[in-house]
Amino acid sequence: MNKLLIALGLAATVALVGCAKEKAPETGATTGEHLENAAAQAAHDAKDATHEAATATATAVDNAAQATENAAHNVATATENAADATVQAAKDATAATAGAVEQGAANVKEKAQQ
């Protein structure tokens, strides 16, 4: 039984070694050329990634600037509205005070005439 297992193991080994001896397709390039091509591709990929990051950063800065401008405009509008409301409240208070003074004077005059 051991001899059969050894024979099967040897047959499997020979089959695997035979399969492993298939030649890879020849590109005609040396190892150095492959390395140079890989380095050039890596440099190109890094350049693309840097450009994409710069574009994304510029877009984010533009969006932040626009949001800041919108917020400043909203604050200015709210401040203007608050100032208008304050002026109107002051006018209303002055009119109410003047009305009360006139009514008080009219009451005094009426009592004086009686």
Side-chain angles (χ1 to χ4, degrees):
M1 183 71 160
N2 286 339
K3 289 181 184 180
L4 181 61
L5 289 175
I6 291 173
L8 285 173
L10 286 174
T13 303
V14 169
L16 288 173
V17 170
C19 290
K21 287 188 178 181
E22 288 182 17
K23 285 190 170 186
E26 184 61 40
T27 61
T30 65
T31 302
E33 289 170 334
H34 283 297
L35 291 174
E36 286 177 18
N37 290 339
Q41 184 62 45
H44 181 72
D45 292 347
K47 181 180 176 184
D48 286 347
T50 301
H51 177 70
E52 289 174 10
T55 300
T57 301
T59 300
V61 168
D62 288 345
N63 291 343
Q66 185 62 46
T68 301
E69 182 180 340
N70 290 344
H73 176 73
N74 291 344
V75 167
T77 301
T79 302
E80 184 179 332
N81 291 342
D84 290 344
T86 301
V87 167
Q88 187 59 44
K91 286 180 184 178
D92 292 347
T94 301
T97 303
V101 168
E102 286 179 15
Q103 185 62 43
N107 290 344
V108 168
K109 183 178 180 183
E110 183 181 319
K111 286 186 179 180
Q113 289 176 352
Q114 289 178 357

